[in-house]
Amino acid sequence: MAYYWFKAFHLIGVVVWFAGLFYLVRLFVYHAEAAEQPEPARSILKAQYEIMEKRLYNIITTPGMVVTVAMAIGLISTEPEVLKSGWLHIKLSFVALLLIYHFYCGRIMKQLEKNECKWTGQQFRALNEAPTLLLVVIVLLAIFKSQLPLDLTTWLIVALVIFMVAAIQLYAKKRRKDREKLLQVTEKKELTV
């Protein structure tokens, strides 16, 4: 019975953790783009994003991570023979990368607060895709275990990366065009006044 409790709360922790990671870096995008705004909007937005980032990281994301890891340890304690499985070692390697990503986001948050971060909104959009890739690989390993079809999985990951890069580039192009249109409209209004 303990196995099912550990597994249930492990999955709940994973959902909370990933929700926090996805939204945190999205806030970094907005935080970086707030620097492009004129005052007083820049200061107001920066202060608001700092509050949101800290609360998200400390109240949702980090507790989600702690629950996930603690429940994973509980799961392993109910069936320690799983530690001999190669697929679990690979999965745990990807989880280690996810933990590094988590703490790196905490570091970025502090850099943003001190105005020491030089990342652009576009770069944060790319960084925001990393947990998606890790999630896909980790879930596939958890479901398929040692039967994971590596050929198909490799192509799936490659296709996902290509799709993400293309989507980020297309969105950047759309944003540039929207900005240019807005600038043209503003210039026309100024000319008519």
Side-chain angles (χ1 to χ4, degrees):
M1 197 59 148
Y3 173 84
Y4 294 109
W5 284 105
F6 287 135
K7 190 168 191 171
F9 282 97
H10 177 69
L11 292 172
I12 291 166
V14 168
V15 170
V16 171
W17 187 17
F18 273 92
L21 288 175
F22 290 143
Y23 189 48
L24 182 64
V25 180
R26 176 55 51 183
L27 288 174
F28 293 167
V29 170
Y30 302 141
H31 195 144
E33 290 176 351
E36 300 167 9
Q37 299 299 316
E39 285 297 346
R42 179 181 334 156
S43 297
I44 293 167
L45 289 169
K46 182 181 175 334
Q48 184 61 43
Y49 290 133
E50 287 171 8
I51 291 168
M52 293 169 72
E53 290 160 1
K54 282 181 189 175
R55 288 180 181 166
L56 179 63
Y57 189 79
N58 294 322
I59 299 172
I60 296 173
T61 312
T62 299
M65 176 201 65
V66 170
V67 168
T68 300
V69 172
M71 295 302 106
I73 292 168
L75 277 168
I76 291 170
S77 74
T78 64
E79 48 181 40
E81 65 278 357
V82 76
L83 283 171
K84 297 175 184 170
S85 304
W87 69 268
L88 183 63
H89 296 173
I90 296 167
K91 178 186 171 192
L92 292 175
S93 298
F94 283 104
V95 171
L97 288 174
L98 190 60
L99 288 164
I100 291 167
Y101 179 87
H102 175 96
F103 290 111
Y104 185 65
C105 285
R107 183 174 170 212
I108 289 172
M109 189 174 65
K110 290 175 185 171
Q111 290 175 342
L112 283 166
E113 184 179 9
K114 295 176 185 176
N115 289 323
E116 295 174 353
C117 186
K118 303 300 179 207
W119 285 55
T120 65
Q122 186 75 2
Q123 290 169 318
F124 281 128
R125 281 184 179 85
L127 181 66
N128 200 30
E129 302 307 327
T132 304
L133 294 172
L134 291 171
L135 177 64
V136 168
V137 172
I138 291 167
V139 168
L140 289 174
L141 282 163
I143 300 298
F144 286 98
K145 298 180 178 20
S146 57
Q147 280 82 39
L148 182 65
L150 290 179
D151 292 349
L152 180 61
T153 304
T154 302
W155 284 111
L156 174 69
I157 300 300
V158 168
L160 190 58
V161 168
I162 290 169
F163 174 76
M164 290 174 171
V165 169
I168 290 169
Q169 293 304 317
L170 288 172
Y171 185 67
K173 188 176 180 178
K174 180 192 177 307
R175 286 176 47 93
R176 275 193 304 275
K177 286 183 178 181
D178 290 348
R179 232 177 303 173
E180 289 169 4
K181 279 183 186 177
L182 182 63
L183 186 60
Q184 289 172 355
V185 168
T186 306
E187 288 173 353
K188 284 181 183 177
K189 283 182 181 179
E190 289 175 359
L191 288 174
T192 58
V193 173

